[in-house]
């Protein structure tokens, strides 16, 4: 079945509230979305104590690989599995996680949440503003950042209508992955030196 992949982050914020909005959006617009589902893959090392698996949505299913045991024992999931999950999704979305790099490698659109959830100190707006490694993600053409709940719904709808466009970002990724680009590598070294002091 067609699915959109929603990727959770390790730091705590109200990602379930965003999933509530998306579930409602799909429910209200069945003619557009038809049988599409969102596969929710919570981060296996999520910091928030959560009643995650008590939540029930109509159009959202949990990734079966990340089950309750991951939150109890803090196991790392099988890394052979998730490339297939990424490769076969219509597009990916979620918090500002390193999985947006993997989505970019697979040339998938990544719809990133970049707004304040009004509840968590370490929300996505704060991460976007203060995390040095996120400062230049706007270089990636496949990454769309939503800055409010309304903006997210609008971008979700428009991305769904155009998801089959391959978003090449291999050249842009080189900026982050290779040390040929002096600005990024210098900034990274400065950040590490600041942390080690």
């Amino acid at each position: 079945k067609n699915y959109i992949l929603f990727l959770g982050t390790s730091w705590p914020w109200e990602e379930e509230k965003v999933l509530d909005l998306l579930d409602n959006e799909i429910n209200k617009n069945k003619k557009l979305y038809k049988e599409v589902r969102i596969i929710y893959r919570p981060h296996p090392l999520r910091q928030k104590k959560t009643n995650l698996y008590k939540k029930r949505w109509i159009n959202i299913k949990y990734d079966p690989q990340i089950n309750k045991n991951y939150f109890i024992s803090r196991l790392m999931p099988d890394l052979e599995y998730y490339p297939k999950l990424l490769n076969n999704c219509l597009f990916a979305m979620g918090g500002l996680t390193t999985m947006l790099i993997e989505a970019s490698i697979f040339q998938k659109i990544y719809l990133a949440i970049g707004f304040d959830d009004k509840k968590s100190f370490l929300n996505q707006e704060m991460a976007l503003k203060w995390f040095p490694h996120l400062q230049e993600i706007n270089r990636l053409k496949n990454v769309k950042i939503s800055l409010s709940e309304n903006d997210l719904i609008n971008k979700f709808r428009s991305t769904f209508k155009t998801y089959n466009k391959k978003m090449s970002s291999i050249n842009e990724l080189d900026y982050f992955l290779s040390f040929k680009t002096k600005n990024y590598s210098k900034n990274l070294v400065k950040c590490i030196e600041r942390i080690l002091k």
Side-chain angles (χ1 to χ4, degrees), residues 173-188:
L173 270 175
D174 192 50
Y175 178 77
F176 296 97
L177 301 177
S178 123
F179 277 87
K180 292 176 202 162
T181 51
K182 291 183 177 139
N183 288 348
Y184 185 75
S185 56
K186 276 183 183 174
N187 288 342
L188 197 58

Side-chain angles (χ1 to χ4, degrees), residues 96 113-115 123-131 134-135 137 145-147:
L96 297 161
I113 287 105
F115 54 83
N123 59 66
Q124 300 304 285
E125 183 181 72
M126 291 293 279
L128 192 58
K129 187 175 180 182
W130 295 108
F131 284 16
L134 297 173
Q135 296 302 305
I137 60 166
I145 302 171
S146 56
L147 300 174

